[in-house]
């Protein structure tokens, strides 16, 4: 299947692991990603905060590009996804836009994942964390189960992961404050850690590079700040697919994490490469 | 164990050491408690067979004389059941009944008969469990008290 | 309660103006507090989301301009998703931020405002955001906004930057997009 | 169409839906002489109310109140209950309709099934039991609930494995009456009716749709309806409230209100469901009652307790049951996945700070929606619905649908509680029979009965019949032995055993045996007299015996079913019970119902909206009607009121009513008239009226309706009467009317709600003033959009569809600010200026305004003349002076005195559509008496004048004030008014009172019977 791929700015730098794993996973599932040529930034929170016009025109620029290509568009970054969907409403574009997790969460790919499963991840107890932007507000995202999205849960279950129910799938991690008001972000992320542990999860699976950044990059600082001792690996769901399907490069992606997941995976005897 | 029921004469011979099966009369009002008793049946609850129900239009119909008559005839216990307080179909019948029962209880006490042989309960038409509970409780209580002393007069 | 804190008179024209300009149906609000009860960042707010609405309804424009809430709102869309009356609070918050800046008022949260400004500037220059550049520019701008340099913060950011660099998660050279010019045009309008 | 119009109409009515609404309408119709087809989609009637545990605001048991209605419908000769059926089409015109009904196969023969339940015990299939909201399972062959009417099982075709796989038929094998009939097919029948009443009730909002609350995901999040089942003794946990996750008693339970109501984000849910605030209160109170340690919290937006007595009910919940009300809408429910506890965040009302609290269980107050079957039904019938799927009606005629000849009542017309439903049901019955009044009595059949045989000088010949009820009795009790034993008892000449005593063939046999053996007393030892006595009484009567010569020994419900584990003692007890009954029946006497002729005329006191509506309803149905109005004009206080929120013009409507009343040949109006004297009993009252000109008239009538209305309270405080700029809503009305320019020039105006309502001394809600404020504020905004209009309220009670107008007012910029009772707004003058200060609760800051007007929403108080009327008619009033109905829930239109009815604001404050419905309903109730030539009164009590000591005990005891001391100086009881409760007899020190059919001799015979000496000895089984 051919789809247009809009990576978004972070996937070029802080979220390279997400980008690389996405490309590898899609390739292995016969999803052909065509990166949108000359894509530009979606404007993110800052545009709509300060300039409502830019908040539409920036993503709209990309929409018109994608429309020319004709294929459905897949967006790994939920923030970009959200901005693109909003712009779509304004400019009335008919493009089908998916966020990556709900794209891969479709029955077709789940089936493929199950059939190509090499190393089931039964030993992992995890919670899936979706963050705000892939689902909210449902009017914009078109999400049906917006309070309890299940795409990642379904994917992880297909991989064999012991997915824990928890109520905090779409709680905010304070993405937009990771720079300017760290204190806020720290509070929000700490709560997520605590609730994940309460649900007896050992790691958190995410589909958003902002979430990953907040939960992973700052985990040490947050531990220090709250005098805690968190050591919770934060995986992209694509990385877990890589792990379970035995895709090349998985370890490389995982090595980019700040909270080193390698010892955790070793303990679970899940590092096969 | 051969046992004869229905004749006062033979029951007289019963001693306390034998297992004593009390005879208990329950006066149930037409609107709530009789329906609760019926419902206990519909949902197949179980309670001791010692309870014999006499239907009255309203718990307020129960003349104190009936309570005494029951004891005199040989009942080991007797109780009245009515609608929940405030729910009486005839407005005040259950209050009247309550007053009379407590009057009889006092009287019994004065002549040296255990007042717990006569009691009053309230229950709604859907409260089958309460009917069964009361039936069990009364049976146990009266069994513990032993036969009605009036029977041996 | 302080006497000088009393609200003397109300100005309903303000609310009507805000509703009209922002397109937010703020009169629909019946003050049920559902927004506030679900908002993840109330702990950092000086006014809660439902209070902001009420303040707009009562026309307390100066106090709103000084409120940090409008900057601290994380745009998480929780309130809008669940509000029984469909009041788009994050949109209202955005509108109020823009109102503050357009009036030339000093934003209550200088750092937040600075970040957004630097971010947009970054897009204007490169078409895409480069996180390394962004961080640097932000440090400068926020220091200016807050009129002080948070040395500790700078060091910790630097440390993190280096760690990320080591793991290949930070690139110094922004990738080029061919649409840079088109983006720049959007900014000029 | 002309030929159908000239054709004589049909005196039958079809009622669709067998909930409390449908049942009430059916009974009223049948009692008024019309044939009723009661069509119910499910396998039995009863509706939602059958699922409830207790009901607000009296906490009466729902089943206690429902059972008499169920049995009333089942045993009424003029009510034809058609279950598992749907109305699929309707042809013709009003008066001459043909209704096409699809009757789904039950696969159980209704005439043969005796409800023994053996089939269900044997059926291998478990199905979610919808009666228990899926919290329990039932079988594929099932009875909807234990007290179901008809008490006949049904096979659920969708789940029965015989229908799915062609094998099983276990039920058929075990059914002793051969009632199972797999050959039944769905059929279509056509019925001729004059009109149709729709009462298909409501469904509930699907709680899963409010995803944020996690219903369906979290085990301990349940709906209010599920909670009702938990509390019910027949529910899934036998009346214990247990957490679904671990079946422990929850310590802390939270209710979340308005789930799926009052919101614009989920489609079609903008209205308020009206009943859930008080329903949740009831559940919270009952829950704390069940488990004393349980802590209940209700999270809400506005507490909507606008019904009669509801505010006091909520106050009691707070004070006596410690129910905590928190005005803060919960955003989401989070679950601890390990403990399954639930975490809620809310604004602590004490501190104004957000806090988290953990609860063991959360109950969602889900909103009401029209029955899912109702939409398609309306479409098939071509009836207009409102945007939410409820039937569209007009304020002036709230029982009529858009199609002539089709009427509506209950939950399908809009969210309603039980009294509102019952009221509207009676009203719909009155309305639906208007077009067919000329053929009243044509369709009903009166059975022809043989003359009763005299008992004079005849020996007592008792027949005892012991029923096996299949194996229900015979499986436990040795029925043969019991029958044999019975034969030896004194007076018994025959005893026999029936497999099913109530089956059609048994009834025939019973009649034969009575005649053959010349029996004159009968004991049936079977099930409960509550369900089967009417049937056996009818059988006796058909056999030429008086119906009161029957006694039932309840050896099933109160013996075999409850002593199944002890068959020997069950048999012993069965014999005891039979012996007791035999002893009693020997003393039973034939009782002839007393015939009381009915005067076919009605009296209506009060000539307002209620009185005029009631009078016209009666007169249009052909009854002479007298209206007594104390003032010099008809129309009441609504005669110059402005348009209502819904756009109804009360003044115009009233003028039309007055015109019709004045022209009507059967209505006599007495204005400037007061009632001076009143005597008599139901069917025959005599009232004397003093007219304005001093003349006096006496009126004979069969029923009376009191409709004395209410008045606006003259406020005391808020500078009312001292500053001319402080006015009431009624005064604002007239200012808007008379000086629009001045009103338009106001810059700001503040309204204060609940003035004189909901206080310590007047703890009731005046119901209409919130809407009045909303209507007036919209009018003000219309005239001048720049005017600041502020409404200071305690709870906005725009229940039902009025919620939409609340929103409209907000959207027009009206600002609504809440105040607490403890901190009312302060109105004062400062340098000549009128000022008001109040606390804005969201910001917790004081606001001081200088408005042009302050408008007080003053309470409604009972009419000042009402007390005089209540005194003369000896009808009760509540402690606020409003007229008091016989039963708040089930007899909202009747006074405790038979033949007396009430309606309008005099009963409690009301909207015009409610007043109209209640007035028509009261008239409908009156008609069920007036339409008869005579009433027959059953057994009553009687005083023996020779024994009576005139001690007045009975006079004081009787709750209905029946006994009186007559000219002979002794007590006398009017059999037409006595209800036969026997309370007087129990108190009478002279033992002068006989309660017929419950005489002391009869009751004592039963006692003695249990201990009888002369009775034969019985060997143990
Ligand atoms: C949780 C809860 C608690 C409540 N507590 C109280 C309380 O304490 N006090 C109180 O006053 N009220 C209470 N109510 C409200 C009360 O239940 C309603 O007022 C009442 O049941 C309405 O009666 P109804 O006859 O209009 O409708 P229903 O009771 O719904 O009956 C409708 C009947 O019509 C049948 N039907 C539906 N569609 C068709 C069709 N197409 N053809 C044929 N038949 C059809 C249905 O099967 C049903 O039998 C409560 C409601 C809820 C949800
Ligand atoms: C102050 C107030 C404000 C209201 N405002 C609104 C509103 O804004 N919108 C709305 O929809 N509804 C409103 N209502 C409700 C509306 O008035 C009622 O729905 C309707 O008018 C009630 O009609 P009624 O016949 O019961 O009472 P009324 O219209 O009051 O008629 C009662 C009649 O009985 C007569 N009467 C009283 N005592 C005796 C006696 N002893 N003998 C003979 N005759 C007697 C009276 O003179 C009067 O004519 C209001 C009601 C009140 C009291
Ligand atoms: S949730 Fe909506 S209606 Fe409720 S207070 Fe917030 S904005 Fe107002
Ligand atoms: S969008 Fe802003 S105000 Fe709304 S919940 Fe999120 S952070 Fe709070
Ligand atoms: S009679 Fe037959 S069909 Fe009816 S309940 Fe008994 S076994 Fe079932
Ligand atoms: S045939 Fe159907 S209803 Fe009868 S027992 Fe079998 S499954 Fe149950
Ligand atoms: S306000 Fe209305 S919808 Fe909400 S809970 Fe109360 S009665 Fe129900
Ligand atoms: S009369 Fe007999 S067969 Fe009929 S229900 Fe009663 S006990 Fe059963
Ligand atoms: S203003 Fe009137 S209707 Fe509203 S709550 Fe108060 S008394 Fe009730
Ligand atoms: S039997 Fe009851 S209703 Fe009749 S007179 Fe006596 S107390 Fe009154």
């Amino acid at each position: 299947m051919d789809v247009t791929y809009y990576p978004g700015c972070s996937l070029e730098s802080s979220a390279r692991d997400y980008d690389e794993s996405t490309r590898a996973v899609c390739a292995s599932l016969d999803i052909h990603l065509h990166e949108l040529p000359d894509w530009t930034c979606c404007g993110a929170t800052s545009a709509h905060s300060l300039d409502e016009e830019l908040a539409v025109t920036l993503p709209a620029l990309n929409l018109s590009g994608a429309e020319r290509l004709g294929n459905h568009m897949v967006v790994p970054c939920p923030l970009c996804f959200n901005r693109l969907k909003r712009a779509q409403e304004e400019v009335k574009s008919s493009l089908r836009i998916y966020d990556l997790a709900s794209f891969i969460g479709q029955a077709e790919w789940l089936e493929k994942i199950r059939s190509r499963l090499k190393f089931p991840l039964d030993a992992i107890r995890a919670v899936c964390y979706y963050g705000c932007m892939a689902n909210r507000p449902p009017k914009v995202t078109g999400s049906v189960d917006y309070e309890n999205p299940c795409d990642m849960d379904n994917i992880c279950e297909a991989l064999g992961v012991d997915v824990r129910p928890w109520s905090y799938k779409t709680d905010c991690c304070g993405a937009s404050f990771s720079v300017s008001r760290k204190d806020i972000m720290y509070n929000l992320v700490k709560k997520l850690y605590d609730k994940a542990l309460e649900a007896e999860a050992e790691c958190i699976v995410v589909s958003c590079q902002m979430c990953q950044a907040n939960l992973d990059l700052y985990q040490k600082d947050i531990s220090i700040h709250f005098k805690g001792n968190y050591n919770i690996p934060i995986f992209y769901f694509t990385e877990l697919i890589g792990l379970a399907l035995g895709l090349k490069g998985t370890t490389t992606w995982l090595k980019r994490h700040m909270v080193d997941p390698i010892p955790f995976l070793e303990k679970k005897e899940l590092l096969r490469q | 164990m051969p046992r004869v029921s229905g004749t006062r004469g033979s029951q007289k011979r019963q001693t306390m050491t034998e297992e004593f099966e009390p005879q208990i009369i329950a006066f149930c009002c037409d609107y709530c408690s009789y329906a609760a008793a019926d419902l206990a049946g519909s949902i197949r609850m179980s309670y001791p067979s010692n309870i014999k129900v006499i239907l009255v239009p309203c718990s307020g119909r129960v003349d104190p004389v009936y309570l005494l008559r029951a004891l005199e005839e040989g009942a080991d216990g007797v109780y009245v059941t009515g609608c929940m307080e405030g729910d009486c179909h005839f407005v005040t019948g259950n209050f009247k009944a309550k007053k009379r029962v407590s009057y009889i209880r006092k009287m019994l006490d004065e002549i040296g008969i255990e007042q717990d042989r006569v009691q009053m309960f309230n229950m709604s038409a859907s409260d089958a469990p309460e009917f069964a509970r009361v039936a069990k409780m009364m049976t146990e209580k009266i069994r513990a008290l032993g036969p009605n002393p009036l029977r041996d007069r | 309660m302080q006497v000088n804190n009393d609200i003397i008179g109300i100005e309903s024209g303000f609310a009507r103006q805000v509703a009209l300009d922002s397109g937010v149906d703020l009169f629909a609000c019946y003050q049920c507090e559902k927004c506030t009860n679900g908002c993840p960042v109330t702990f950092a707010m000086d006014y809660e989301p439902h209070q902001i609405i009420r303040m707009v309804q009562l026309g307390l424009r100066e106090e709103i301009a000084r409120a940090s809430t409008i900057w601290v709102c994380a745009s998480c869309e929780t309130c809008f998703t669940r509000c029984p009356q469909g009041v788009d609070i994050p949109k209202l918050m955005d509108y109020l931020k823009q109102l503050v800046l357009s009036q030339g008022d000093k934003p209550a949260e200088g750092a937040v405002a600075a970040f957004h400004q630097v971010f947009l500037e970054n897009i204007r220059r490169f078409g895409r955001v480069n996180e390394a550049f962004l961080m640097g520019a932000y440090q400068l701008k926020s220091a200016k906004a807050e009129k002080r340099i948070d040395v500790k913060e700078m060091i910790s950011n630097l440390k993190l930057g280096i760690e990320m660099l080591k793991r290949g998660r930070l690139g110094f050279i922004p990738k080029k997009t061919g649409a840079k010019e088109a983006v720049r045009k959007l900014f000029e309008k | 169409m002309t030929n159908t119009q000239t054709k004589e109409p049909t005196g039958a009515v079809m009622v669709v839906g067998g909930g409390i609404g449908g049942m009430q309408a059916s009974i009223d119709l049948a009692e008024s002489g019309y044939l009723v087809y009661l069509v119910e989609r499910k396998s039995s009637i009863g509706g939602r109310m059958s699922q409830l545990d207790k009901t607000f605001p009296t906490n009466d048991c729902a089943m206690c109140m429902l059972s008499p209605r169920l049995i009333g419908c089942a045993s009424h000769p003029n009510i034809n209950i058609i279950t598992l059926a749907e109305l699929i089409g309707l042809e013709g015109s009003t008066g001459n309709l043909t209704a096409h009904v699809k009757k789904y196969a039950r696969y159980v023969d209704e005439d043969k099934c005796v409800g023994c339940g053996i089939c269900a015990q044997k059926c291998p299939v478990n199905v979610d039991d919808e009666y228990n909201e899926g919290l329990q399972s039932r079988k594929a062959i099932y009875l909807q609930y234990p007290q179901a009417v008809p008490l006949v099982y049904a096979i659920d075709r969708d789940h029965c494995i015989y229908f799915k796989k062609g094998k099983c038929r276990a039920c058929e094998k075990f059914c002793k009456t051969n009632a199972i009939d797999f050959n039944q097919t769905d059929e279509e029948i056509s019925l001729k009716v004059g009109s149709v009443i729709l009462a298909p009730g409501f469904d509930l909002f699907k709680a899963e749709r409010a995803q944020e609350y996690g219903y369906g995901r979290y085990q301990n999040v349940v709906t209010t309806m599920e909670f009702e089942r938990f509390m019910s003794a027949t529910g899934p946990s036998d009346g214990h409230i247990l957490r679904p996750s671990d079946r422990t008693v929850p310590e802390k339970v939270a209710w979340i209100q308005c789930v799926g109501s009052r919101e614009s984000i989920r489609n079609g849910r903008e209205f308020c469901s009206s009943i859930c605030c008080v329903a949740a209160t009831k559940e919270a109170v009952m829950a704390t009652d069940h488990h004393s340690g349980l802590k209940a919290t209700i999270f809400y937006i506005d507490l909507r307790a606008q019904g009669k007595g509801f505010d006091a009910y909520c106050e009691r919940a707070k004070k006596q049951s410690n129910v905590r009300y928190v005005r803060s809408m919960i955003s989401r429910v989070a679950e601890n996945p390990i403990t399954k506890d639930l975490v809620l965040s809310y604004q602590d009302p004490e501190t104004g700070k957000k806090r988290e609290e953990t609860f063991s269980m959360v109950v969602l107050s889900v909103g009401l929606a029209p029955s899912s079957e109702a939409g398609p039904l309306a479409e098939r019938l071509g009836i207009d619905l409102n945007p939410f799927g409820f039937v569209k009606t007009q304020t002036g005629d709230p029982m009529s649908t858009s199609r002539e000849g089709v009427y509506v009542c209950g939950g399908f017309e809009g969210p309603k509680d039980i009294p509102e439903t019952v009221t509207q049901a009676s009203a719909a019955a009155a309305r639906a029979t208007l077009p067919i009044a000329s053929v009243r009595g044509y369709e009903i059949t009166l059975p022809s009965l043989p003359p009763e045989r005299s008992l004079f000088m005849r020996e007592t010949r008792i027949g005892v019949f012991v029923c096996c009820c299949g194996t229900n009795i015979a499986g436990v009790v040795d029925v043969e032995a019991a029958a044999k034993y019975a034969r030896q008892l004194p007076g018994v000449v025959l005893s026999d055993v029936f497999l099913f005593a109530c089956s059609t063939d048994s009834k025939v046999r019973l009649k034969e045996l009575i005649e053959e053996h010349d029996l004159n007393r009968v004991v049936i030892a079977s099930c409960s007299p509550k369900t089967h006595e009417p049937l056996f009484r009818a059988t006796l009567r058909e056999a030429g015996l008086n119906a009161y010569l029957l006694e039932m020994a309840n050896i099933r419900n109160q013996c075999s079913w409850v002593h199944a584990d002890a068959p020997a003692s069950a048999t012993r007890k069965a014999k005891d019970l039979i012996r007791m009954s035999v002893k009693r029946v020997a003393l039973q006497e034939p009782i002839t119902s007393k015939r009381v002729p009915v005067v076919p005329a009605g009296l209506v006191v009060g000539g307002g909206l209620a009185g005029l509506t009631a009078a016209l309803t009666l007169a249009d149905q052909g009854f002479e009607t007298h209206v007594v109005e104390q003032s010099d004009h008809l129309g009441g206080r609504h005669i110059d009121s402005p348009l209502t929120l819904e756009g109804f013009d009360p003044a115009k409507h009233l003028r039309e009513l007055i015109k019709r009343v004045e022209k009507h040949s059967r209505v006599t109006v007495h204005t400037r008239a007061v009632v001076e004297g009143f005597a008599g009993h139901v069917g025959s009252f005599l009232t004397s009226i003093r007219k304005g000109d001093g003349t006096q008239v006496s009126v004979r009538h069969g029923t009376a309706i009191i409709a004395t209305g209410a008045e606006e309270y003259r406020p005391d405080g808020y500078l009312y009467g001292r500053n001319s700029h402080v006015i009431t809503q009624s005064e604002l009305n007239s200012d808007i009317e008379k000086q629009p320019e001045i009103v338009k020039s106001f810059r700001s105006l503040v309204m204060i709600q609940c003035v004189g309502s909901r206080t310590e001394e007047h703890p009731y809600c005046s119901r209409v003033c919130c809407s009045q404020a909303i209507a007036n504020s919209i009018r003000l905004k219309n005239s001048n959009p720049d005017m600041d209009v502020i409404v200071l309220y305690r709870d906005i009670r725009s229940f039902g569809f009025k919620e939409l107008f609340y929103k409209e007012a907000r959207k027009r910029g009206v600002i609504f600010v809440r105040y607490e009772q403890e901190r009312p707004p302060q109105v004062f003058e400062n340098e000549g200026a009128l000022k008001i200060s109040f606390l804005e609760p969201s910001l917790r800051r004081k606001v001081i305004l200088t408005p042009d007007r302050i408008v007080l929403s003053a309470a409604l108080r009972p009419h000042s003349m009402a007390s005089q009327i209540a005194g003369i008619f000896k009808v009760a009033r509540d402690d606020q002076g409003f007229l008091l109905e016989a039963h708040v829930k089930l007899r909202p239109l009747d006074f405790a005195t038979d033949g007396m009815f009430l309606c309008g604001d005099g009963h409690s404050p009301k909207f015009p559509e409610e007043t109209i419905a209640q007035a028509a309903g009261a008239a409908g109730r009156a008609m069920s008496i007036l339409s008869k030539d005579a009433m027959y009164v059953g057994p009553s009590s009687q005083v023996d004048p020779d024994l009576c000591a005139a001690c007045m005990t009975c006079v004081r005891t009787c709750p209905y004030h029946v006994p009186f001391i007559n000219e002979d100086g002794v007590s006398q009881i009017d059999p037409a008014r006595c209800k036969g409760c026997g309370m007087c007899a129990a108190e009478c020190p002279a033992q002068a009172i006989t309660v017929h059919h419950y005489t002391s001799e009869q009751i004592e015979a039963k006692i003695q019977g249990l201990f009888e000496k002369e009775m034969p000895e019985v060997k143990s089984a």
Side-chain angles (χ1 to χ4, degrees), chain D residues 113-116 151 177 466-470 472-473 498-503 506 524-528 531-532 535-536 552-557 561:
Chain D
C113 173
V114 295
C116 68
L151 201 71
T177 61
V466 184
C467 181
C468 302
C469 199
N472 276 293
I473 296 172
F498 279 129
L499 184 57
F500 293 106
C502 58
S503 65
S506 296
I524 308 265
S526 62
C527 48
S528 173
T531 54
H532 282 63
L535 186 145
F536 290 119
M552 286 183 76
N554 191 343
I555 62 167
R556 189 186 71 178
N557 294 48
W561 273 351

Side-chain angles (χ1 to χ4, degrees), chain D residues 113-134:
Chain D
C113 173
V114 295
C116 68
I118 291 174
C119 49
Q121 279 165 26
K122 303 294 175 185
C123 173
V125 184
N126 284 313
V127 184
D128 268 0
D129 175 9
E130 52 174 11
Y131 174 72
N132 274 310
E133 296 288 306

Side-chain angles (χ1 to χ4, degrees), chain D residues 360-390:
Chain D
S360 356
M361 203 165 166
V362 167
V363 187
L364 305 180
S365 279
V366 285
L368 307 188
S371 147
S372 59
E373 317 254 0
L377 173 70
E379 194 169 315
R380 286 196 299 271
L381 303 186
I383 280 163
D384 294 347
L385 301 179
N386 76 9
F388 311 107
F390 294 90

